[in-house]
């Protein structure tokens, strides 16, 4: 399989956003790059089903409103689509909790392979007689920030080139120098990680991009190594990071009938006349802030102060980037 999982998720979201009807798993497999398989081969079809189940679970965990249903009472097989009414946002094109899957397009959308794959997928839908809305994915340019190390590490993984960088570990004062043969960059629970072979320790390691200090230096020649066949980068990150302990609690006010994703996440919900009060578990204030800002004026943080300040800081960053973009386009 030549497509990365992140590209496959992006194309899956684009596919499901581009039609209002429910698409069956077979239609999705025939449309979305990365799901190619022989449906008559039991082993290949079973592998596709496992992959598709993992991807559906990933999207739902990220808050993407994935619906299951049938186009008519005569359909025996269920289909899938994304509820646009819950997905769209008036001021911010995509909610950050939904943008983890699609947010990679902020950096990769202009990549010819991804753009071509998306166009090809929509063409397949039209050829199969599925009505496709050409306007559905216009403006799909989420305001998602990625770490400075993202671009050089992604390029190095693509070209199979060794890199060197300084890495900060929380319990140490000074960063360590690392030499890595990167296999790929993935997003896990709202954070970006690079996975590869650590040459200093002669072992597989993953590193959080936000902890990379300074410039990533490319030191090796192209095609200098080959990642292990069938390596699952997400599994490496999941084992390394362990379960997320959401010990914090944040209280927010939400406009009635809005922010369905937050309501599913909440451990307490109290209805009110003007606003509903939600209690949300969280592990890191910055990560929670990234989710909350996407709901715009429909959500207001009451406490704790660390979350409120993180939201304010994130909004300031968005305003700054928006002002810079306006200057460039004028």
């Amino acid at each position: 399989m030549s497509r990365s999982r992140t590209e496959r998720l992006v194309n899956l979201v684009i596919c499901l956003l581009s039609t209002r009807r429910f698409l069956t798993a077979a239609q999705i497999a025939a449309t979305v790059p990365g799901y190619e398989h022989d449906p008559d081969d039991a082993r290949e079809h079973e592998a596709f089903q496992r992959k598709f189940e993992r991807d559906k679970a990933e999207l739902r965990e990220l808050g993407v409103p994935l619906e299951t249903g049938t186009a008519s009472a005569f359909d025996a097989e269920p289909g899938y689509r994304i509820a646009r009414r819950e997905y769209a946002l008036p001021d911010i094109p995509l909610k950050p909790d939904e943008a983890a899957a699609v947010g990679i397009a902020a950096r990769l959308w202009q990549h010819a392979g991804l753009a071509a794959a998306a166009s090809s997928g929509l063409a397949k839908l039209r050829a199969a007689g599925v009505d496709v809305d050409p306007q559905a994915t216009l403006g799909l340019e989420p305001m998602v920030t990625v770490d400075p190390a993202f671009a050089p590490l992604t390029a190095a993984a693509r070209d199979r080139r060794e890199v060197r960088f300084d890495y900060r570990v929380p319990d140490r004062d000074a960063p360590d120098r690392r030499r890595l043969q990167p296999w790929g960059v993935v997003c896990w629970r709202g954070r970006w990680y690079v996975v590869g072979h650590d040459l200093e320790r002669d072992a597989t390691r993953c590193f959080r991009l936000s902890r990379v200090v300074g410039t990533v230096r490319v030191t090796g020649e192209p095609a200098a190594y080959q990642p292990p066949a069938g390596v699952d980068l997400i599994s490496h990150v999941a084992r390394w990071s362990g379960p997320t302990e959401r010990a914090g609690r944040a209280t927010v006010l939400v406009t009635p009938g809005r922010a369905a994703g937050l309501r599913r996440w909440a451990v307490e919900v109290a209805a009110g006349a003007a606003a509903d009060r939600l209690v949300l578990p969280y592990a890191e204030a910055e990560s929670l802030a990234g989710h909350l800002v996407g709901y715009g004026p429909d959500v207001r943080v009451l406490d704790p102060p660390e979350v409120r300040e993180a939201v304010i800081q994130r909004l300031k960053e968005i305003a700054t980037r928006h002002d810079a973009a306006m200057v460039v386009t004028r």
Side-chain angles (χ1 to χ4, degrees):
M1 204 78 70
S2 60
R3 303 283 179 182
S4 70
R5 187 180 187 206
T6 46
E7 288 185 351
R8 188 174 70 242
L9 286 172
V10 170
N11 283 301
L12 175 57
V13 171
I14 292 172
C15 170
L16 297 178
L17 273 176
S18 299
T19 178
R20 295 184 182 277
R21 63 178 286 187
F22 290 99
L23 299 180
T24 65
Q27 290 174 315
I28 292 171
T31 303
V32 177
Y35 288 137
E36 300 92 343
H37 72 287
D38 181 359
D40 296 325
D41 186 311
R43 295 183 62 181
E44 285 193 21
H45 188 60
E46 183 181 355
F48 156 71
Q49 289 178 316
R50 289 197 302 268
K51 185 189 302 181
F52 186 44
E53 289 300 320
R54 288 197 302 268
D55 289 351
K56 287 191 297 179
E58 178 81 6
L59 292 183
R60 285 173 171 142
E61 182 180 342
L62 294 168
V64 176
L66 185 62
E67 295 182 332
T68 303
T70 56
S72 73
F74 301 100
D75 292 338
E77 184 180 354
Y80 307 90
R81 69 183 181 188
I82 289 177
R84 293 192 205 174
R85 62 186 179 278
E86 296 183 26
Y87 199 67
L89 214 61
D91 296 326
I92 301 176
L94 274 180
K95 304 172 186 176
D97 64 334
E98 298 167 348
V102 184
I104 191 173
R107 287 282 182 171
L108 298 184
W109 183 251
Q110 293 183 352
H111 186 281
L114 181 57
S119 299
S120 173
L122 298 185
K124 291 177 183 178
L125 284 178
R126 294 189 185 95
V130 176
D131 291 332
V132 174
D133 182 0
Q135 306 298 318
T137 55
L138 289 181
L140 214 62
E141 188 178 346
M143 299 184 72
V144 175
T145 58
V146 292
D147 302 283
F150 180 94
L153 286 174
T154 301
R158 180 195 62 213
D159 299 336
R160 305 292 183 245
R161 302 183 68 179
E162 179 185 322
V163 296
R164 185 176 71 235
F165 55 85
D166 292 333
Y167 189 72
R168 184 185 72 256
V169 178
D171 57 354
R172 298 181 185 176
D173 294 332
D176 296 331
R177 175 61 52 86
R178 301 297 181 112
R179 291 172 54 233
L180 185 73
Q181 292 177 340
W183 299 340
V185 177
V186 294
C187 183
W188 173 250
R189 290 173 173 164
R191 302 283 185 179
W192 290 100
Y193 298 84
V194 60
V195 181
H197 181 70
D198 188 327
L199 295 170
E200 299 291 344
R201 291 157 178 78
D202 191 25
T204 301
R205 291 288 187 271
C206 64
F207 302 94
R208 203 165 93 181
L209 267 58
S210 62
R211 293 177 180 169
V212 173
V213 179
T215 303
V216 175
R217 296 175 176 82
V218 178
T219 58
E221 297 296 323
Y225 60 91
Q226 187 65 34
V231 62
D232 187 341
L233 303 182
I234 288 289
S235 294
H236 279 289
V237 176
R239 287 195 298 269
W240 175 81
S241 62
T244 298
E245 182 180 359
R246 294 177 173 175
R249 292 291 184 270
T251 304
V252 301
L253 294 179
V254 177
T255 302
R258 305 289 293 178
L262 289 185
R263 295 175 187 275
R264 292 192 296 267
W265 182 358
V267 294
E268 294 180 24
V269 177
D276 299 334
R277 184 185 296 263
L278 276 59
V279 176
L280 307 173
Y282 72 96
E284 297 180 348
E286 291 77 12
S287 178
L288 176 59
H291 289 280
L292 296 179
V293 296
Y295 292 95
D298 288 324
V299 174
R300 181 162 60 91
V301 180
L302 293 182
D303 61 69
E306 66 166 355
V307 174
R308 187 166 57 248
E309 292 302 320
V311 168
I312 293 172
Q313 181 60 36
R314 184 63 65 90
L315 290 172
K316 288 180 179 179
E317 293 172 358
I318 293 174
T320 299
R321 291 198 303 273
H322 181 270
D323 291 343
M326 291 296 292
V327 171
V328 171
T329 55
R330 286 174 181 171

